[in-house]
Amino acid sequence: MATGLAAALSGCTLANAITPPIESQLYPTITEARGSDATIEIPSWVPDDASLIRIKENSETGAKIMQFGDPAPEPIGGPCDASIIDNAPPMQDTWWPQNLPVNEATCQDGWHIVFMYGSQYFAWTP
């Protein structure tokens, strides 16, 4: 029985229970987000004046959520393909809004992007 229990608790299941494959980062500016110490890649479409960039990634699935501020916001992305417009974010966090208007999202390079609160972008890979 001990052998069966050990086998059941070994491998990815146990590793993920102890250390989930989730990584989070907070970068004060885009310079730090694109610097050599950055551990999660920031998309190239994030503006050069973006600040307080929060990103969370599931390294197993590649799913990500991101938030950043922009003092001079410009539209990002274009219309999403109708087949993916309602894809919900793959994860949550305390900084992630509970009511995100996913049907208002634009799309850019595989990301869904929503602009809210006058200066904040919320983005995710479905």
Side-chain angles (χ1 to χ4, degrees):
M1 180 159 168
T3 305
L5 180 59
L9 294 177
S10 65
C12 294
T13 303
L14 180 58
N16 288 348
I18 294 170
T19 308
I22 305 293
E23 181 179 358
S24 296
Q25 288 295 325
L26 172 61
Y27 302 112
T29 68
I30 197 68
T31 301
E32 285 88 2
R34 294 189 176 137
S36 61
D37 292 337
T39 57
I40 302 175
E41 184 177 349
I42 301 297
S44 61
W45 51 261
V46 173
D48 290 339
D49 57 352
S51 61
L52 294 176
I53 305 156
R54 298 175 189 264
I55 188 162
K56 183 175 183 177
E57 175 184 45
N58 181 322
S59 62
E60 253 182 21
T61 66
K64 297 177 186 174
I65 58 173
M66 176 175 59
Q67 179 230 351
F68 60 89
D70 189 346
E74 299 274 334
I76 298 174
C80 296
D81 182 284
S83 67
I84 62 169
I85 188 67
D86 291 328
N87 283 356
M91 58 186 101
Q92 297 290 317
D93 205 311
T94 56
W95 49 265
W96 193 256
Q98 291 183 3
N99 297 312
L100 190 69
V102 296
N103 59 337
E104 296 176 14
T106 58
C107 287
Q108 180 72 37
D109 299 333
W111 286 79
H112 286 54
I113 307 158
V114 172
F115 182 70
M116 296 174 62
Y117 311 126
S119 66
Q120 297 295 305
Y121 290 91
F122 295 88
W124 67 96
T125 58

